[in-house]
């Protein structure tokens, strides 16, 4: 039976780098669920929807063609047969719209089902906002990576990304369906004053102490 290491946290907390590195070290598949919400948002914007049309967006997302391929140990989502570039997934337009699209409950249902189905492919490291709370609440391995708002905003601008971190966090934490929370049973790690390697080591330490690494 395959298992999931669930990594949650706010925008720019460093969770993607931690999850990616961890997956490589442990030989697990890496799944970035934020990119799935970004991919659907890109398609919604590309199809010309007004973000207020949540019912139309829900219907569109239900039938959207999504495929998942293993590319060197990371799962990539193809949207209508197309692999999206990092520039497309992280564009200013997608940054500004993704939290709104992620509030549409049928969008979440579709993607949560897809995320659960990935478990048949093997052991996973999956990162997002609701992995330990909703997608895999029974996972024995849950981590919540945090960092102060200043540190997170600085990290994003250092990457040259124009991202509205504070606004997205507010929307992601206060939405009705699957808000960002510290999942029950998760180990919270504040990465504000830690290097990437130190955070990964802290996660590995915990996993080792439980015989899982
Ligand atoms: O991880 P990220 O910052 O790239 O995620 C982009 C957005 O997707 C985030 O602001 C909220 C949404 N998201 C979500 O609602 N649930 C997840 N499991 C992952 C991301």
């Amino acid at each position: 039976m395959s298992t999931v290491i669930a990594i949650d946290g706010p925008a720019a907390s460093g969770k993607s780098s931690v999850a990616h590195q961890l997956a490589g070290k442990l030989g697990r598949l890496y799944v970035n669920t934020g990119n799935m919400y970004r991919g659907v948002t890109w398609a919604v914007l590309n199809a010309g929807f007004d973000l207020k049309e949540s019912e139309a967006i829900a219907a569109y997302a239900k039938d959207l063609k999504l495929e998942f391929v293993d590319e060197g140990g990371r799962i990539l989502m193809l949207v209508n047969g197309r692999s999206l570039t990092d520039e497309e997934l992280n564009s200013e337009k997608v940054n500004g719209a993704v939290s709104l699209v992620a509030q549409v409950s049928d969008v979440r249902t579709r993607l949560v089902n897809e995320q659960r189905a990935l478990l048949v492919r093997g052991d996973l490291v999956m990162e997002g906002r609701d992995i330990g709370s909703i997608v895999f609440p029974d996972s024995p391995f849950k981590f919540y990576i945090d960092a102060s708002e200043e540190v997170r905003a600085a990290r994003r601008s250092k990457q040259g990304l124009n991202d509205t971190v504070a606004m997205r966090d507010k929307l992601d934490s206060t939405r009705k369906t699957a808000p960002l929370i510290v999942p029950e049973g998760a180990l919270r790690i504040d990465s504000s004053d830690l290097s990437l390697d130190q955070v990964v080591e802290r996660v590995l330490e915990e996993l080792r102490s439980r015989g899982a690494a």
Side-chain angles (χ1 to χ4, degrees):
M1 182 61 184
S2 301
T3 60
V4 182
I5 297 175
I7 312 246
D8 290 298
S13 58
K15 65 183 183 310
S16 298
S17 311
V18 172
H20 188 220
Q21 193 149 325
L22 200 63
K25 281 186 191 279
L26 298 175
R28 287 171 172 256
L29 278 172
Y30 167 61
V31 186
N32 177 331
T33 63
N35 276 350
M36 297 186 191
Y37 288 92
R38 289 175 179 276
V40 171
T41 302
W42 179 88
V44 162
L45 293 172
N46 207 43
F49 286 103
D50 182 322
L51 292 176
K52 290 191 203 88
E53 300 175 277
S54 54
E55 278 176 30
I57 291 173
Y60 175 76
K62 266 186 179 166
D63 293 335
L64 190 60
K65 186 176 166 208
L66 301 176
E67 294 158 285
F68 297 87
V69 293
D70 173 353
E71 208 192 56
R74 70 190 290 160
I75 295 288
L76 279 193
M77 184 177 83
L78 307 183
V79 181
N80 285 330
R82 187 175 182 293
S83 139
L84 299 171
T85 63
D86 285 345
E87 287 71 33
E88 286 169 323
L89 292 172
N90 294 293
S91 70
E92 218 170 302
K93 268 165 92 175
V94 168
N95 279 337
V98 66
S99 290
L100 296 172
V101 173
Q103 281 182 4
V104 178
S105 73
D106 285 338
V107 169
R108 302 204 70 81
T109 304
R110 169 84 198 266
L111 290 182
V112 167
N113 287 338
E114 302 284 5
Q115 289 153 14
R116 289 182 179 146
L118 291 172
L119 198 54
V120 299
R121 305 203 186 198
D123 290 322
L124 310 174
V125 175
M126 186 176 284
E127 56 124 327
R129 301 290 189 291
D130 59 347
I131 311 307
S133 59
I134 303 285
V135 186
F136 290 108
D138 296 333
S139 166
F141 313 117
K142 300 182 190 180
F143 298 89
Y144 185 91
I145 311 294
D146 215 344
S148 70
E149 199 172 301
E150 299 74 54
V151 167
R152 292 186 292 114
R155 283 180 187 161
R156 271 293 197 262
S157 60
K158 212 166 150 194
Q159 291 168 343
L161 298 171
N162 186 354
D163 195 353
T164 45
V165 168
M167 188 210 58
R168 282 205 290 130
D169 282 347
K170 184 151 184 273
L171 288 170
D172 296 342
S173 310
T174 56
R175 70 180 173 222
K176 282 201 203 91
T177 323
L180 171 67
I181 53 162
V182 182
E184 211 182 303
L187 176 70
R188 180 177 172 278
I189 301 173
D190 187 335
S191 74
S192 305
D193 299 318
L194 299 178
S195 67
L196 169 59
D197 285 349
Q198 285 173 317
V199 181
V200 172
E201 193 42 46
R202 181 73 197 84
V203 174
L204 283 171
E205 229 172 66
E206 175 69 15
L207 292 172
R208 275 187 220 114
S209 76
R210 294 161 58 190

